[in-house]
Amino acid sequence: MVGLTKHFGAVVALGAFFPALISAQNTTAATTAASTFYLDETQTQFSVNIANDSSDVFIYFTSPAYSWVSVGFGDKMADSLMLVMYPNNNGDNVTISPRYGSGHTEPAFTPNVAIDILPGTTVNDSMFVLNARCRNCRVWPNGFLDPKDTAQPMIYAFGPGSSLYSDSQSAGLKRHVRYGFFTMDMVAATGTGRVPSQSSAISGVTMVGEMVKDHDRASFAHAVVGCLALFVVWPLNVLVAGFFKNIKIHVGVSVLVMALLIVAYALGGVASAQFIRSKSFNSPHQILAFLSLLPILLLSLLPIPSLSTLHAKIPRLHGPLTALAFLLLVLTGGLGLGLASQTRAIILIYTAIALIVCVFIVTVQSCIRRRGSAYARSQGGPRRGSGGDEDDDRNYMLGKMEESSRSTSSASLGGAPPPPPAYGMPYGGQFGADGGQYQYQQSQQQQRSPYGGGTMPGPQYLLNMHPGVPVQVSRM
């Protein structure tokens, strides 16, 4: 009987203890001072606790596992302290990166802000969950966190849907696709230092406007214009050069290619200034882009007459320089996709298109080499056919000789007379000045004669050969 009484007393004591324990837990949770931002559209929660017994700031942060999610202390990106969250290299936990903003560019990682990852941080069901303590994050260059401010300006942003997996706190980020603003009551968030609890209720937060959609227009336009120049207009120009007789069309399309490349380079400079990895212009993509300018510049200088006539081989550089420029630009574009952190599928599509265009251009140029370009054939230039280059050159020279003969005949029928030979010696003999002048005048009279001045006998000579035979000179 005594033992039963003791057991009954223990049960009663336990029954009284558990409600007290539950009540204490609820009281603790309820007394954790925090201000909570909650975005129902993405189920994103960001809660802040300002410790009143230290300079620490406790954070609870949860959001869908986009490539990255960030919240910043400040009214704009410039001079703000941003906390960027993305998956680690294995995808099973969170990498938190404190960064300083410097304008409408990618924020830069700072080692001056220390963040301690606390238990409970994980990636669960495609959701980031972060429990953290931030040290040295109340003051930063050109900004500070005021515990007495009831409307601390805040910003938030979401990266694109493609995932970023990295353990590095300075990993490169793609431009955000959405962002917005809100204010947070720091007075309500000040209390005993603890990690706030999960909640879907907004507390101490005022939303400022709607969430804004954003686009990386400069990078997109840079890629589109560059691909248009390389994979559409460039092969079209090869066709024009090979199969159109009007060289002006080829020149016009070449100018269009140059204009598109200039626009692509300009857009690339604008896009490069937005990201830390490209601000210094020392990436392989940018270095190769600068090297590509050399053959492009030489191609634009080759048509200058004073340069093309310096040596016979200079015009022949057009083909090799064109091939070199195209190859460098294609490689530059491929490296640019890697620099922009594009997906593997997009890189493979670009590679396939580049190979198809290369095969097409090589095939067309082979046909042009075999039969000659339409413009060269229309100008009487040599054809590169099955007869060999020597026969082609011989035919070309014969055609040039015929043209020269026709021009000589037209000159003899009324054109300007040729200049007198040097030293008055038209035939290379030893004549004096008077004799040379006499011979030259006779030569001019023969050229001006309507009956020619060549080796065929004239009508007077025929009369002397056949005396007594009437010859009507007027009918000859």
Side-chain angles (χ1 to χ4, degrees):
M1 189 66 180
V2 177
L4 183 60
T5 302
K6 289 182 179 180
H7 288 296
F8 180 76
V11 171
V12 172
L14 289 174
F17 173 75
F18 281 115
L21 179 61
I22 295 173
S23 177
Q25 290 179 344
N26 291 336
T27 301
T28 301
T31 57
T32 301
S35 289
T36 299
F37 162 80
Y38 186 79
L39 191 62
D40 186 65
E41 184 176 351
T42 58
Q43 297 181 352
T44 298
Q45 177 191 348
F46 178 73
S47 298
V48 173
N49 168 265
I50 307 296
N52 55 11
D53 56 352
S54 67
S55 60
D56 297 338
V57 177
F58 290 86
I59 297 169
Y60 178 84
F61 198 179
T62 181
S63 184
Y66 297 107
S67 60
W68 58 267
V69 184
S70 70
V71 173
F73 297 92
D75 58 351
K76 57 184 181 299
M77 289 188 65
D79 301 328
S80 64
L81 171 61
M82 307 189 70
L83 305 178
V84 184
M85 182 171 57
Y86 44 89
N88 67 350
N89 193 43
N90 296 326
D92 57 357
N93 213 319
V94 177
T95 299
I96 181 71
S97 174
R99 303 192 178 206
Y100 291 152
S102 59
H104 294 286
T105 60
E106 179 186 4
F109 166 71
T110 173
N112 298 327
V113 177
I115 297 182
D116 300 328
I117 305 298
L118 301 179
T121 300
T122 185
V123 176
N124 185 17
D125 295 332
S126 298
M127 294 287 292
F128 294 134
V129 179
L130 173 67
N131 295 321
R133 177 175 59 195
C134 182
R135 294 181 284 113
N136 301 326
C137 63
R138 291 197 185 186
V139 179
W140 60 91
N142 301 321
F144 65 95
L145 184 62
D146 186 2
K148 298 181 180 180
D149 192 350
T150 58
Q152 168 70 39
M154 305 286 292
I155 56 178
Y156 65 93
F158 299 97
S162 58
S163 297
L164 166 67
Y165 297 95
S166 178
D167 293 332
S168 173
Q169 292 181 299
S170 58
L173 305 178
K174 298 182 69 174
R175 186 183 176 102
H176 48 60
V177 295
R178 294 184 179 185
Y179 65 93
F181 307 89
F182 63 96
T183 62
M184 182 170 281
D185 187 353
M186 295 292 102
V187 176
T190 301
T192 304
R194 295 190 183 92
V195 175
S197 59
Q198 182 180 1
S199 175
S200 59
I202 296 178
S203 175
V205 167
T206 302
M207 304 299 296
V208 179
E210 300 292 333
M211 186 163 52
V212 181
K213 292 184 179 180
D214 190 34
H215 304 278
D216 190 2
R217 292 184 175 88
S219 298
F220 180 75
H222 168 64
V224 170
V225 174
C227 290
L228 180 64
L230 285 180
F231 301 144
V232 178
V233 185
W234 195 296
L236 178 63
N237 198 22
V238 175
L239 287 176
V240 168
F243 301 103
F244 280 77
K245 296 181 180 180
N246 192 344
I247 194 64
K248 294 182 179 179
I249 300 178
H250 172 58
V251 174
V253 180
S254 299
V255 171
L256 177 59
V257 173
M258 293 294 295
L260 291 174
L261 289 177
I262 291 173
V263 173
Y265 271 87
L267 291 172
V270 174
S272 297
Q274 298 180 0
F275 302 97
I276 296 173
R277 56 189 176 276
S278 57
K279 279 184 177 181
S280 301
F281 292 91
N282 57 1
S283 66
H285 165 70
Q286 294 163 315
I287 293 175
L288 199 59
F290 293 141
L291 292 177
S292 303
L293 290 174
L294 180 59
I296 294 174
L297 179 62
L298 293 177
L299 283 172
S300 62
L301 295 178
L302 281 181
I304 299 177
S306 59
L307 178 64
S308 60
T309 56
L310 292 177
H311 196 279
K313 293 185 178 181
I314 289 181
R316 301 178 186 177
L317 297 176
H318 182 272
L321 287 176
T322 302
L324 177 61
F326 182 79
L327 178 61
L328 290 177
L329 289 173
V330 169
L331 294 177
T332 299
L335 293 174
L337 294 177
L339 182 64
S341 303
Q342 292 294 339
T343 61
R344 181 177 298 178
I346 293 179
I347 296 177
L348 291 177
I349 292 174
Y350 175 87
T351 303
I353 294 175
L355 290 175
I356 292 173
V357 173
C358 286
V359 171
F360 172 79
I361 291 177
V362 170
T363 303
V364 172
Q365 289 180 340
S366 298
C367 295
I368 295 174
R369 282 194 296 269
R370 287 176 61 86
R371 63 193 298 269
S373 67
Y375 173 76
R377 288 184 280 110
S378 67
Q379 300 297 315
R383 289 184 57 186
R384 295 183 178 274
S386 57
D389 293 343
E390 294 181 359
D391 294 338
D392 296 337
D393 293 339
R394 187 180 298 110
N395 293 332
Y396 180 72
M397 291 303 298
L398 288 175
K400 289 296 183 182
M401 292 172 64
E402 291 176 0
E403 293 178 4
S404 176
S405 176
R406 287 194 297 269
S407 63
T408 304
S409 298
S410 62
S412 65
L413 293 176
Y423 308 109
M425 297 181 292
Y427 303 108
Q430 301 295 326
F431 297 103
D434 295 338
Q437 182 67 23
Y438 175 75
Q439 295 291 339
Y440 178 71
Q441 291 176 355
Q442 285 189 338
S443 175
Q444 295 303 309
Q445 290 176 358
Q446 290 179 358
Q447 288 186 2
R448 286 194 297 268
S449 173
Y451 305 106
T455 58
M456 295 296 294
Q460 300 298 332
Y461 182 78
L462 293 175
L463 289 174
N464 295 330
M465 289 180 62
H466 303 280
V469 178
V471 177
Q472 299 181 4
V473 178
S474 62
R475 300 178 60 181
M476 297 192 59

